[in-house]
Amino acid sequence: MTLMASREQSVVISLGELHVTNDPDTLLVCYGIGSCVAFAAFDPVAKVAGMAHFVLPDSTSGNRPKTLERFVDAGIPIMLTRLQTLGATPARTVFRMAGGAHMAVAKGFEARLNIGERNVEAARATMKALGLRLRGEDVGGTHGRTVRLLSGSGALTISTVGGSSYEL
């Protein structure tokens, strides 16, 4: 399957960003997902898509800058609101996520914090609290991923470091 036709435009979602669209010619892309989580949504009736690049699980701890889109627990509700603004209905929206890997950062640092696993747990807990369910996930492991969501069809492709590519 080709994810890009000549008229399509790519929107790269960087760390802590999210983007929603009802333009069927937009390809949403998260590059280099390690312990972060790429969180994708698609309403097949309204043809509304969104993707976020969540960095941390919990917006309530620490003295970090409070760009709420960076955090799983705050970012998912923000994304849901933006999707609904464009006509999406949560009950029919397909939610998927990828990432949450155990990356070797500084020796022992990631092992103590377990950020990838905590991001995945936060996404699952937030979805459950909102009464929604994930349709698919590719999480954990020790490899990075690039995630692409074609907004017109909801096709989600994951590419891993080392070259394999598959749909979720």
Side-chain angles (χ1 to χ4, degrees), residues 72-129:
V72 175
D73 67 333
I76 290 174
I78 291 169
M79 179 187 231
L80 194 58
T81 298
R82 292 183 186 171
L83 290 163
Q84 289 175 295
T85 299
L86 292 179
T89 300
R92 68 178 179 228
T93 299
V94 175
F95 298 97
R96 294 166 288 182
M97 72 173 162
H102 178 75
M103 305 303 288
V105 184
K107 188 169 184 131
F109 179 75
E110 171 70 15
R112 284 194 308 273
L113 297 178
N114 223 354
I115 296 168
E117 185 177 317
R118 289 176 48 220
N119 280 337
V120 169
E121 289 172 1
R124 290 175 181 153
T126 302
M127 292 293 291
K128 184 176 181 180

Side-chain angles (χ1 to χ4, degrees), residues 20 27 63 86 93 114 129 132 157:
V20 299
L27 178 69
N63 292 325
L86 292 179
T93 299
N114 223 354
L132 303 170
T157 301

